[in-house]
């Protein structure tokens, strides 16, 4: 019986966990004989450490966003030998211990931290199982493992081209988009807007988005109805509930993907942050995307790509959101251009669902003859030594 080990990071809900959950669900439906297990490495090391690090991370990006942004761009957008050496010295042995205990037949990394450590163990010959990187942002930071990774499931063609330039074989890269739950059903055509405008607004699972309070500027001449995704932010939920407005309905954290699919179907537009999985789902649903803010680091870089490709519209935080959204939705040339960009992006994808992804993984990777896998590993070592990377 085969075992697949998923390695996201942190216990708190995030895109890394959502993608892992989606693939595990697809495995249970398509290949129930496969055992799937998801482990947060930091929690495995020390639950108290994981809580402290995650709490520090959330506080850092809220209190010192500029400093975090500078730190991220210095140490994660560019290659940092110091940071990688530090992580290796501190965590590599513990990752080896985890893999020794679990003995997985396949490892799927949905976060760069785990990918870096597992890749090193592959390079050193300690880990023999095939490893897949599944990226949940629209860029690849420098910590992601590469030399020791067997397959890369990337969000777009530009990431494939980027990996090819680093020496990754093209036939080991699959354009999967941002993998999300199959219960978020792909729409082939954009929804026609009729009558009252339905807007879905999201502040992130922890309510870290700013400026959503401007949505309270409801005016009688705007026939708009809002559904506000408040995540685990109870204060945000209570503030909207206290308004007592029939046009603004706050919603607490939603784990059911069928419910989320219904909300996407209801929405004529979505206001959100540029988190990878949320944006990926909105692109699947062909819902016009408006960005109200971006967290420092990953989301800033996501936003830069999404704007460049014309996939989203960034709202001006100093102007009423309603004015801007209605202006865009009434601008048919601009709206047509946005939908054309979404269709072009969708046309790049080689996999369109989790079902297709797990079937591909089982066919091409899990049940691939061991001798072929060993040949690939030998090829990796050959390239490493020929480049002097030892």
């Amino acid at each position: 019986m085969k075992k697949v080990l998923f390695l996201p990071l942190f216990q708190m809900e995030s895109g890394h966990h959502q993608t892992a959950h989606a693939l595990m669900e697809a495995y249970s439906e398509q290949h129930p004989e496969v055992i799937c297990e998801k482990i947060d490495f930091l929690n495995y090391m020390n639950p108290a450490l994981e809580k402290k690090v995650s709490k520090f991370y959330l506080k850092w990006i809220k209190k010192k966003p500029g400093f975090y942004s500078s730190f991220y761009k210095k140490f994660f957008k560019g290659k940092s030998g110091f940071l990688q050496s530090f992580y290796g010295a501190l965590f590599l042995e513990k990752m080896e211990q985890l893999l020794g205990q679990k003995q997985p037949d396949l490892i799927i990394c949905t976060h760069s931290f785990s990918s870096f450590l597992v890749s090193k163990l592959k390079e050193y010959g300690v880990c023999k199982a095939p490893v897949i990187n599944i990226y949940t942002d629209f860029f690849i930071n420098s910590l992601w493992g590469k030399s020791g990774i067997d397959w890369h499931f990337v969000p777009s063609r530009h990431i494939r081209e980027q990996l090819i330039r680093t020496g990754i074989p093209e036939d080991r890269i699959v354009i999967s988009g941002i993998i999300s739950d199959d219960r978020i059903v792909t729409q082939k055509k954009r929804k026609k807007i009729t009558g009252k405008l339905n807007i879905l607004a999201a502040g992130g699972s922890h309510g870290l988005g700013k400026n959503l309070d401007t949505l309270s500027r409801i005016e009688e001449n705007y026939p708009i109805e809002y559904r506000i995704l408040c995540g685990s932010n109870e204060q945000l939920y209570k503030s909207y509930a206290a308004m007592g407005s029939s046009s603004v309905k706050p919603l607490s954290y939603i784990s059911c993907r069928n419910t989320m699919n219904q909300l996407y179907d209801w929405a004529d537009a979505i206001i959100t942050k540029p988190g990878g999985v949320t944006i990926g789902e909105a692109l699947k649903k062909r819902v016009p995307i408006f960005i109200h803010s971006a967290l420092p680091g990953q989301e800033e870089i996501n936003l830069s790509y999404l704007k460049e490709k014309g996939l989203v519209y960034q709202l001006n935080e100093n102007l009423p959101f309603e004015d801007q959204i209605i202006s865009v939705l009434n601008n048919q040339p601009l709206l047509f251009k946005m939908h054309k960009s979404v269709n072009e992006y969708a046309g790049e994808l080689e996999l369109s669902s989790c079902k297709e992804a797990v079937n591909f993984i089982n066919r091409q990777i899990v049940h691939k003859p061991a001798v072929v896998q060993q040949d690939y590993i030998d090829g990796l070592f050959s390239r490493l030594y020929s480049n002097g990377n030892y």
Side-chain angles (χ1 to χ4, degrees), residues 86-351:
F86 173 77
Y87 283 156
L90 204 59
F91 302 113
L92 201 58
E93 186 175 347
K94 203 68 176 179
M95 178 61 81
E96 181 182 356
Q97 177 183 313
L98 170 63
L99 299 185
Q101 288 179 353
K102 298 301 178 180
Q103 293 293 311
D105 297 290
L106 171 67
I107 302 167
I108 296 180
C109 300
T110 59
H111 192 279
S112 59
F113 181 74
S114 302
S115 169
F116 166 73
L117 296 173
V118 175
S119 180
K120 284 295 181 185
L121 293 176
K122 285 275 286 188
E123 291 173 23
Y124 297 156
V126 176
C127 174
K128 300 296 184 182
V131 184
I132 305 174
N133 279 352
I134 296 189
Y135 304 97
T136 57
D137 284 299
F138 291 92
F139 72 101
I140 299 178
N141 72 45
S142 61
L143 190 61
W144 281 97
K146 296 183 179 66
S147 298
I149 304 300
D150 299 272
W151 287 83
H152 302 260
F153 283 47
V154 302
S156 63
R157 183 183 298 153
H158 91 285
I159 295 297
R160 167 187 267 179
E161 293 170 352
Q162 180 182 329
L163 285 176
I164 291 172
R165 289 195 294 270
T166 67
I168 304 299
E170 184 174 358
D171 62 0
R172 294 285 164 162
I173 307 170
V174 181
I175 305 177
S176 61
I178 303 290
I179 293 178
S180 60
D181 199 294
D182 284 347
R183 285 170 290 188
I184 306 298
V185 182
T186 301
Q187 296 290 339
K188 299 300 181 183
K189 296 181 180 179
R190 65 185 174 97
K191 176 185 175 184
K192 291 184 178 179
I193 302 174
T194 57
K196 183 181 289 186
L197 187 63
N198 297 329
I199 297 180
L200 183 63
S205 62
H206 294 272
L208 294 172
K210 59 182 179 179
N211 301 318
L212 282 180
D213 59 321
T214 61
L215 295 180
S216 61
R217 300 170 182 169
I218 304 295
E219 298 181 15
E220 291 184 359
N221 60 326
Y222 285 141
I224 300 176
E225 187 169 347
Y226 285 102
R227 295 290 182 269
I228 314 293
L229 299 174
C230 300
S232 58
N233 190 331
E234 293 183 10
Q235 184 177 355
L236 187 67
Y237 179 91
K238 290 178 180 178
S239 67
Y240 281 112
M243 289 175 57
S245 171
S246 60
S247 298
V248 180
K249 182 179 180 180
L251 302 169
S252 55
Y253 182 75
I254 297 174
S255 59
C256 177
R257 306 321 290 166
N258 286 324
T259 301
M260 275 306 306
N261 186 64
Q262 293 170 7
L263 282 170
Y264 283 125
D265 287 339
W266 170 86
D268 296 309
I270 180 171
I271 307 174
T272 186
K273 302 189 293 82
V277 172
T278 299
I279 295 296
E281 290 180 347
L283 291 173
K284 283 175 69 174
K285 301 302 293 187
R286 300 295 202 279
V287 181
I289 304 168
F290 296 86
I291 303 299
H292 63 73
S293 62
L295 294 178
Q298 300 96 312
E299 290 189 356
E300 287 179 319
I301 303 172
N302 280 344
L303 180 57
S304 178
Y305 167 79
L306 295 166
K307 287 172 60 180
E308 178 187 340
K309 294 298 180 180
L311 297 170
V312 303
Y313 182 91
Q314 185 175 14
L315 295 166
N316 184 334
E317 63 184 44
N318 297 315
L319 298 174
F321 287 170
E322 292 89 348
D323 290 339
Q324 299 175 71
I325 293 170
I326 290 175
S327 176
V328 170
L329 295 180
N330 286 335
N331 186 333
Q332 289 303 313
L334 177 57
L335 201 59
F336 175 80
K337 188 176 180 180
M338 289 177 66
H339 286 297
K340 182 181 178 182
S341 296
V342 173
N343 288 333
E344 289 174 351
Y345 171 78
E348 295 179 6
L349 306 185
E350 298 170 338
L351 300 174

Side-chain angles (χ1 to χ4, degrees), residues 13-29:
E13 192 62 30
S14 64
H16 319 124
H17 282 278
Q18 289 178 34
T19 292
H21 275 305
L23 287 166
M24 291 171 71
E25 286 283 336
Y27 255 112
S28 68
E29 294 176 4

